[in-house]
Amino acid sequence: MAVTRTFSIIKPDATRRNLTGAVTKMLEEAGLRVVASKRIQMTRQQAEGFYEVHKERPFYGELVDFMVSGPVVVQVLEGEDAVKRNRDVMGATNPADADEGTIRKAYAESIEANSVHGSDSDENADKEIRFFFDEDELVG
Ligand code: IDP
Ligand code: MG
């Protein structure tokens, strides 16, 4: 299987509870390597742009408010079949539906404050990585 990259965000509910390390540990134990990482305060403009695909969904406004409510950690993860590997360890969007052993089962507070973002395709991973990182920030 090919080594690929995906994009991850440790969301404000997790950084607020000092879970940056705990979440990263689960990603690493799932076979993903953090090849780029930075803690940022997202601007409203960034959050709106990043979640543009969800603009028509009823929770869009609240989601943007949540994503700017505190710092986040944006990361590029590398591993075999990275997009799927990350989605598997993240668990279902709603923590009530998430499997044991997943990040959202362990840490998510609600369907909105669900601790992590992960790209859903190689194409979106590429777009999302470029949204937050310059090529020279992907240090391996
Ligand atoms: P995903 O993060 O599992 O890929 P998406 O459907 O892409 O889920 O939704 C993006 C984000 O929007 C979710 O991670 C969550 O933070 C938020 N969200 C999704 N569905 C709801 C909802 O029904 N109410 C509130 N927030 C939601
Ligand atoms: Mg999604």
Side-chain angles (χ1 to χ4, degrees):
M1 200 157 292
V3 172
T4 58
R5 285 177 172 175
T6 191
F7 175 74
S8 167
I9 304 176
I10 302 175
K11 294 184 178 181
D13 66 287
T15 62
R16 190 175 294 127
R17 287 174 291 151
N18 207 23
L19 293 170
T20 298
V23 169
T24 302
K25 185 167 191 275
M26 289 183 77
L27 296 171
E28 290 177 341
E29 284 174 353
L32 294 159
R33 171 177 292 271
V34 180
V35 297
S37 182
K38 56 188 175 186
R39 190 173 180 102
I40 61 168
Q41 172 61 53
M42 241 191 241
T43 64
R44 186 162 290 275
Q45 194 183 4
Q46 275 177 314
E48 285 171 354
F50 184 74
Y51 279 121
E52 179 97 49
V53 291
H54 295 311
K55 208 169 171 174
E56 303 309 324
R57 295 174 81 176
F59 55 81
Y60 176 73
E62 281 181 15
L63 177 60
V64 169
D65 288 344
F66 166 61
M67 292 301 288
V68 303
S69 69
V72 300
V73 180
V74 290
Q75 296 180 319
V76 180
L77 308 176
E78 193 174 86
E80 285 190 3
D81 205 4
V83 167
K84 181 174 187 301
R85 191 176 284 268
N86 185 38
R87 296 289 309 190
D88 286 350
V89 72
M90 286 165 60
T93 307
N94 186 345
D97 301 328
D99 290 337
E100 283 300 332
T102 64
I103 293 167
R104 285 168 166 170
K105 177 73 176 184
Y107 297 125
E109 294 182 318
S110 67
I111 191 169
E112 176 182 81
N114 60 5
S115 303
V116 278
H117 165 84
S119 310
D120 60 9
S121 67
D122 286 346
E123 189 190 349
N124 283 335
D126 193 52
K127 277 190 205 154
E128 292 173 359
I129 289 168
R130 284 188 284 107
F131 192 90
F132 284 105
F133 288 94
D134 293 329
E135 193 59 39
D136 66 1
E137 292 179 297
L138 311 181
V139 292

